[in-house]
Amino acid sequence: MPVSGLPPYDPSNIFARILRGEIPCRKVHEDEWALAFHDINPQAPVHVLVVPKGQYVSLADFSASASDAEIAGFWRAVGKVAKDLSLEVSGYRVLTNMGVHGHQEVPHFHVHIFGGRSLGRMLPAKD
Ligand code: AMP
């Protein structure tokens, strides 16, 4: 069910629990700034989520409130994960959902990395 992408941050969300090690994940990468793991319901042959270590609800919250170091560290991790997954030659897509119209379901900022097949152009048909 879509959620608001606006604060306050709820520390009981599932990605917060994964970050605290309370719930397992199929980890791809971890550093000071970010954790990357396979999506539990993959929409492409490669579907990995990258989440910042800090507590931000959405891109709106992250871009407004994270430090320059957090923002740089997070986006460098996204690029590194895509490269380490050998997606650079074939290409990939990075997507974030924000708020109700964006159909955000987990209220901890994350980006999806999709790859492993041709992904078509932009958005699916209206439903
Ligand atoms: P959204 O918030 O709309 O960007 O989507 C949240 C994504 O998190 C979905 O693609 C879910 O399949 C994924 N997801 C939810 N719970 C887990 C989990 N425990 N481990 C991995 N991925 C998850």
Side-chain angles (χ1 to χ4, degrees):
M1 185 142 111
V3 296
S4 164
L6 297 175
Y9 181 84
D10 174 5
S12 70
N13 76 76
I14 193 137
F15 294 169
R17 298 183 67 199
I18 288 173
L19 282 165
R20 290 195 295 267
E22 296 168 6
I23 293 178
C25 69
R26 288 177 56 215
K27 189 189 295 187
V28 172
H29 170 82
E30 183 169 15
D31 61 29
E32 181 180 357
W33 307 109
L35 175 68
F37 52 91
H38 290 279
D39 196 290
I40 204 167
N41 183 23
Q43 305 296 309
V46 178
H47 184 175
V48 166
L49 303 170
V50 189
V51 310
K53 291 274 177 89
Q55 298 190 334
Y56 301 101
V57 182
S58 66
L59 177 60
D61 189 19
F62 185 70
S63 60
S65 300
S67 68
D68 290 357
E70 287 176 297
I71 291 170
F74 175 76
W75 286 107
R76 285 197 194 283
V78 173
K80 176 175 169 43
V81 168
K83 182 174 184 178
D84 291 351
L85 290 167
S86 302
L87 295 176
E88 285 196 341
V89 172
S90 52
Y92 59 90
R93 179 169 294 155
V94 172
L95 177 148
T96 190
N97 296 315
M98 189 283 171
V100 174
H101 277 191
H103 223 281
Q104 181 176 358
E105 293 187 348
V106 178
H108 181 111
F109 173 50
H110 54 282
V111 300
H112 301 249
I113 301 176
F114 300 104
R117 65 167 167 79
S118 177
L119 297 164
R121 280 187 54 77
M122 305 298 278
L123 298 174
K126 291 180 194 170
D127 57 20

